[in-house]
Amino acid sequence: MTRSKLNIISTSGLSRGILTFSLVSQSVLGLAQYPGLAANKMKVPVSVPVKAKSFDLQAVRITHGLFRDNMEREGKWLLSLPVERLMHSFRVNAGMNTPKPGSPTKMPKPLGGWEGLDMELRGHSIGHLLSGLALQYASTNNEAFREKGDSLITALADVQRELNQDGYLSAYPQHYIDRNIAGTAVWAPWYTLHKLFAGLTDQYTYAGNQQALDIATKMAAWASHKLSPLTTEQRQKMLRNEFGGMNDAFFNLYALTGNPDHLKLAQFFYHKAALEPLENGQDNLNKAHANTFIPKLVGEARDYELTGNEKAKTAALFFWNTVVQHHTYAHGGNSDKEHFFEPDKIAKHLTGNTGETCNTYNMLKLTRHLFTWSADETYADYYEQALYNHILGQQDPESGMVCYFTPMKAGAYRLYSTPDQSFWCCVGSGFESQSKYGEAIYYHDDKGIYVNLFIPSELNWREKGLTLVQETAYPEETTTRFTVQTKAPILMPMYLRYPGWAKAGVTLKVNGKVIAVKQSPGSYITVDRTWKTGDKIELTYPMTLRLVPANDDPNVAAVAYGPVVLAGELGTANLKGTAPFHDPADPYQYYGYDYTIPDSIGHTIDTGGKPVTDWVKPVAGLPLTFRTTAGLSKQPVELRPYYNLHRQRYVVYWDLK
């Protein structure tokens, strides 16, 4: 998240037009729904060919394990935040929380950090929270999440009615939008509204709240009226400021309503200066604010799906390949101080401000879209890399709080949010990321199931009358077991992901019998047979140690074991506070955070030119725990999964001699 003064993209020329688009054909070549969206709620289906389709989130249950633990901690946080405090800034903006002096009415305590009444970004967190509650409800069927979402929606409807501004709804005055249109300084008002639109549509989609959709459509009517008079020059000037995924939000609203005005609004948020170079295969990311860019491409992907816009598809594919191949750290994250840098310069950007978590949250959104188009295992590989190493590792298991950055600087450590005084962008996206782990484990085509992730879970494919139960302690073990439950025998294929990192091969058993595998890593193993209740699949991918070198220096590298990036434990000496960003005058004080790394901490290993298996050895009896044997201050260093190394200093990238 960046202040508006950090605008770095200029605009010029014409773009796709200003609210003048006609409705596109709604012919259906595939029934893939937007990830998690119930197909029966869509009035505009996908109009392009797809190879994999998303299951509704309600069809998948995480049963136990690391991801379930994170979900439960996040859910407790979501439920702990009082509605009165969450709504305070909205009600103040509408003049509803201003009792006269001496009044017995007690004011709720305002939220702090980026939700403070003196912060221009206030209101963004409630949108994320609405999404998080809806995702938790879909993932768990716990009525507490639906009920809290309903309470917030009712309160927001009251504010919208009290404001009485043609459907406008926010925690800040409409003047912020006027400043954005005029090109004067303001901190990302459309970004904040994007979160609210997304939260409202998620409440409708996942929790069935019709009032949420009504609020969103009224807001869209206001937006259409507000933006229609703008000239091309005014529009592009406005779009220089960070607007999140407003294009994505309006495309999704259009899919739900079929209202052509919502399609026009989505296309209105086409930022020519950012997107046109990507359509032409040009990497224009150097120095660009990363999370200003990524949501725009999520919207482009949605544009392609709903309208068949080939330029949008080209931009989304080129962007994804560019970011993943040239701008991504070993743990799947990207950016330094929130910005992309020159491609293939990872080793030069191992700082304390790397890996903004929002970026990865949005990259995974984009990845899901791209996977459905092609069912290419490459996308599943990246999804696993970023999910296990970055998103899973965002949350502190002790407190349930989350990180903004995940530092790659040797000797640094994670800094966590607070329950009610931080509310950074990554807190908001964390409400969602930690609540929807079931969304990318399984996909399907018209015939069978894709198994992409190895997470203890149950899939209920109601249309086929089939349940698939997955049991595993992955990645602490290499074997995953599946049990089929079906009302009647069913002929269908199972597409089992064969990860690109699994160079040591695979063992596949069906009902105890070893099945020969002809496929190679980076593909899918197809098991096509008639399945009966009780049939079992056992899938084993031996994990091996490997190096993940920086793309600009092979002597700077992370160590991974199978899909898991390992971090070296460097102790707790001189650890300072864990919650920056509290000063309203300087919410970005993280940029100058002093990790006071002791001089005694080293991150150089004399490998003698030997392979990693010679100088990193497993510790007997401790899963996913290793120890260096090569020289590092004459002391061995213990390595554990990066996702599980909290509240201490660490090293991810080593200098190898």
Side-chain angles (χ1 to χ4, degrees):
M1 188 60 208
T2 185
R3 292 180 186 271
S4 59
K5 67 181 181 182
L6 293 176
N7 293 335
I8 57 173
I9 302 171
S10 62
T11 60
S12 61
L14 297 175
S15 57
R16 296 182 185 174
I18 305 175
L19 298 179
T20 57
F21 287 80
S22 59
L23 200 59
V24 299
S25 169
Q26 298 179 19
S27 62
V28 182
L29 299 176
L31 293 177
Q33 63 268 29
Y34 179 68
L37 265 169
N40 62 2
K41 291 186 178 180
M42 292 182 63
K43 293 187 177 179
V44 183
V46 167
S47 64
V48 297
V50 295
K51 292 189 176 180
K53 306 169 188 178
S54 298
F55 284 101
D56 290 343
L57 190 56
Q58 295 90 337
V60 182
R61 290 287 179 264
I62 308 293
T63 54
H64 59 274
L66 297 168
F67 293 98
R68 178 75 184 191
D69 293 343
N70 269 32
M71 281 180 57
E72 290 181 348
R73 283 187 288 264
E74 201 73 26
K76 289 178 181 177
W77 189 7
L78 288 165
L79 293 176
S80 73
L81 295 167
V83 170
E84 293 302 310
R85 295 188 68 188
L86 292 167
M87 288 301 305
H88 183 56
S89 58
F90 285 84
R91 288 170 172 160
V92 167
N93 185 48
M96 299 167 68
N97 268 11
T98 54
K100 296 179 180 179
S103 169
T105 302
K106 185 177 180 180
M107 295 283 283
K109 181 182 178 181
L111 298 173
W114 290 9
E115 285 297 336
L117 291 175
D118 54 351
M119 300 297 287
E120 291 181 339
L121 207 65
R122 61 188 180 272
H124 74 111
S125 297
I126 199 170
H128 283 298
L129 192 133
L130 287 170
S131 292
L133 290 168
L135 293 163
Q136 286 273 354
Y137 175 66
S139 297
T140 67
N141 203 34
N142 183 337
E143 283 293 316
F145 296 111
R146 185 186 62 79
E147 290 169 0
K148 182 156 189 176
D150 288 350
S151 296
L152 287 167
I153 294 300
T154 298
L156 287 168
D158 289 343
V159 171
Q160 188 179 49
R161 185 163 45 251
E162 184 70 23
L163 280 169
N164 193 27
Q165 296 178 19
D166 300 322
Y168 177 74
L169 174 63
S170 182
Y172 53 75
Q174 214 176 138
H175 178 59
Y176 285 16
I177 300 292
D178 297 333
R179 285 161 57 188
N180 194 174
I181 292 172
T184 56
V186 63
W187 193 2
W190 283 110
Y191 169 96
T192 304
L193 287 184
H194 164 233
K195 310 312 172 194
L196 195 53
F197 270 106
L200 291 165
T201 53
D202 283 346
Q203 279 289 320
Y204 171 71
T205 301
Y206 294 106
N209 191 309
Q210 179 64 49
Q211 189 176 31
L213 184 63
D214 294 341
I215 295 171
T217 54
K218 290 175 183 176
M219 291 175 66
W222 160 81
S224 181
H225 178 76
K226 186 79 172 181
L227 297 175
S228 293
L230 268 61
T231 66
T232 298
E233 181 181 3
Q234 287 175 313
R235 174 169 71 140
Q236 292 300 326
K237 181 183 287 187
M238 184 188 80
L239 296 181
R240 291 169 59 185
N241 197 0
E242 185 174 9
F243 57 82
M246 278 307 314
N247 52 350
D248 183 47
F250 282 128
F251 277 123
N252 290 331
L253 186 61
Y254 165 63
L256 291 171
T257 66
N259 186 334
D261 287 343
H262 299 160
L263 174 63
K264 295 173 186 178
L265 280 166
Q267 293 168 327
F268 180 91
F269 280 86
Y270 172 78
H271 187 196
K272 176 183 171 69
L275 298 174
E276 193 172 69
L278 297 171
E279 295 169 356
N280 294 319
Q282 177 186 342
D283 180 353
N284 60 335
L285 303 184
N286 185 27
K287 299 182 181 180
H289 183 255
N291 205 44
T292 295
F293 252 83
I294 304 171
K296 295 174 184 178
L297 277 302
V298 178
E300 289 292 281
R302 196 64 175 129
D303 184 4
Y304 166 66
E305 291 170 357
L306 294 177
T307 75
N309 182 349
E310 288 290 335
K311 286 187 176 181
K313 176 184 179 181
T314 297
L317 289 170
F318 178 78
F319 177 83
W320 188 94
N321 286 317
T322 300
V323 172
V324 172
Q325 294 174 15
H326 303 290
H327 295 272
T328 296
Y329 297 98
H331 72 335
N334 59 68
S335 79
D336 184 8
K337 291 187 177 180
E338 302 189 357
H339 288 69
F340 289 122
F341 40 83
E342 290 182 324
D344 301 316
K345 298 296 182 184
I346 293 294
K348 294 183 179 179
H349 288 273
L350 301 178
T351 75
N353 306 303
T354 47
E356 182 185 357
T357 315
C358 278
N359 298 0
T360 302
Y361 154 83
N362 278 311
M363 281 298 296
L364 292 184
K365 278 189 173 184
L366 179 60
T367 302
R368 292 204 67 209
H369 284 285
L370 272 53
F371 176 78
T372 64
W373 302 350
S374 65
D376 188 332
E377 193 275 340
T378 302
Y379 297 116
D381 266 357
Y382 171 74
Y383 201 100
E384 179 183 63
Q385 173 192 5
L387 186 74
Y388 270 92
N389 296 299
H390 196 180
I391 298 299
L392 182 64
Q394 180 198 20
Q395 188 193 91
D396 171 32
E398 181 177 326
S399 66
M401 297 296 100
V402 297
C403 304
Y404 191 120
F405 293 121
T406 47
M408 291 291 108
K409 184 178 180 66
Y413 50 92
R414 290 173 169 92
L415 297 166
Y416 306 105
S417 59
T418 54
D420 64 355
Q421 292 297 311
S422 302
F423 294 109
W424 321 315
C425 50
C426 298
V427 168
S429 59
F431 287 149
E432 300 180 44
S433 291
Q434 307 293 331
S435 300
K436 59 176 183 174
Y437 284 125
E439 72 174 4
I441 304 173
Y442 309 101
Y443 295 82
H444 68 94
D445 59 16
D446 293 335
K447 297 179 180 179
I449 297 170
Y450 288 89
V451 178
N452 271 15
L453 298 174
F454 309 117
I455 295 174
S457 55
E458 293 185 7
L459 167 67
N460 183 2
W461 196 357
R462 296 177 183 86
E463 292 80 2
K464 296 283 188 179
L466 180 142
T467 298
L468 185 65
V469 179
Q470 180 177 173
E471 285 288 342
T472 184
Y474 182 96
E476 291 189 357
E477 70 167 327
T478 59
T479 298
T480 300
R481 302 161 192 85
F482 302 89
T483 302
V484 175
Q485 300 172 358
T486 181
K487 296 178 180 178
I490 180 172
L491 175 63
M492 58 169 271
M494 296 272 195
Y495 312 112
L496 308 174
R497 176 170 156 255
Y498 194 166
W501 53 260
K503 306 301 184 186
V506 59
T507 299
L508 171 64
K509 296 179 182 179
V510 176
N511 294 332
K513 181 181 178 181
V514 175
I515 305 297
V517 174
K518 298 180 180 180
Q519 289 86 355
S520 301
S523 64
Y524 283 88
I525 302 166
T526 301
V527 182
D528 197 351
R529 68 191 303 271
T530 298
W531 300 95
K532 304 182 297 297
T533 287
D535 282 348
K536 296 184 183 298
I537 303 170
E538 189 173 288
L539 191 62
T540 301
Y541 293 117
M543 298 181 188
T544 57
L545 286 165
R546 58 190 173 92
L547 291 178
V548 184
N551 49 21
D552 52 335
D553 189 343
N555 294 317
V556 176
V559 178
Y561 183 67
V564 179
V565 172
L566 302 173
E569 298 181 340
L570 298 183
T572 59
N574 299 328
L575 260 65
K576 298 167 66 176
T578 58
F581 298 112
H582 285 174
D583 182 359
D586 184 12
Y588 287 93
Q589 60 178 287
Y590 200 157
Y591 285 171
Y593 190 81
D594 181 9
Y595 288 96
T596 59
I597 299 172
D599 294 337
S600 59
I601 284 183
H603 55 95
T604 299
I605 297 181
D606 187 354
T607 69
K610 297 178 181 179
V612 63
T613 50
D614 279 15
W615 45 271
V616 175
K617 299 291 184 180
V619 177
L622 296 176
L624 298 181
T625 304
F626 300 82
R627 192 168 288 133
T628 62
T629 61
L632 180 64
S633 302
K634 299 182 180 180
Q635 295 291 330
V637 174
E638 196 161 282
L639 288 83
R640 293 194 289 120
Y642 178 73
Y643 66 72
N644 202 30
L645 209 159
H646 291 272
R647 296 183 176 269
Q648 66 172 294
R649 300 182 185 277
Y650 58 76
V651 57
V652 174
Y653 280 92
W654 302 86
D655 290 337
L656 306 180
K657 293 174 60 178

